Amino acid sequence: MEVLKVSSRSAPNSVAGAISGVIREQGSVEVQAVGAGAANQAIKAIAIARGYLAPVGIDMVCVPAFANVVIDGEERTAIKLICEQR
């Protein structure tokens, strides 16, 4: 499954386009965000992506989970949002 990493500076519309593209091609994608700002941008992007996919008959759902990631040699907890077609 492809992993898209979102930061607090990511543009939600751009991330939504990437999510939509991967969902169309592969059927599922994992979106990772570390921190409140990144999680906010990721959630906005997922909501926008649902709007992009709905007109073509794709109902996207999202399952949240936690993941441990290493950033600059330090272990952090990320929000992992697994998006797939229903």
Side-chain angles (χ1 to χ4, degrees), residues 41-73:
Q41 299 300 81
I43 294 295
K44 287 193 280 189
I46 289 168
I48 294 166
R50 285 200 81 216
Y52 289 166
L53 294 168
V56 294
I58 298 174
D59 184 20
M60 186 181 77
V61 294
C62 181
V63 179
F66 289 108
N68 292 320
V69 296
V70 177
I71 300 173
D72 296 330

Side-chain angles (χ1 to χ4, degrees), residues 13-81:
N13 286 319
S14 297
V15 177
I19 292 169
S20 299
V22 175
I23 291 287
R24 283 187 185 111
E25 290 176 13
Q26 300 177 13
S28 63
V29 65
E30 180 179 314
V31 180
Q32 284 186 358
V34 177
N40 181 51
Q41 299 300 81
I43 294 295
K44 287 193 280 189
I46 289 168
I48 294 166
R50 285 200 81 216
Y52 289 166
L53 294 168
V56 294
I58 298 174
D59 184 20
M60 186 181 77
V61 294
C62 181
V63 179
F66 289 108
N68 292 320
V69 296
V70 177
I71 300 173
D72 296 330
E74 188 178 322
E75 190 168 304
R76 307 276 306 268
T77 301
I79 295 289
K80 176 170 68 170
L81 302 158

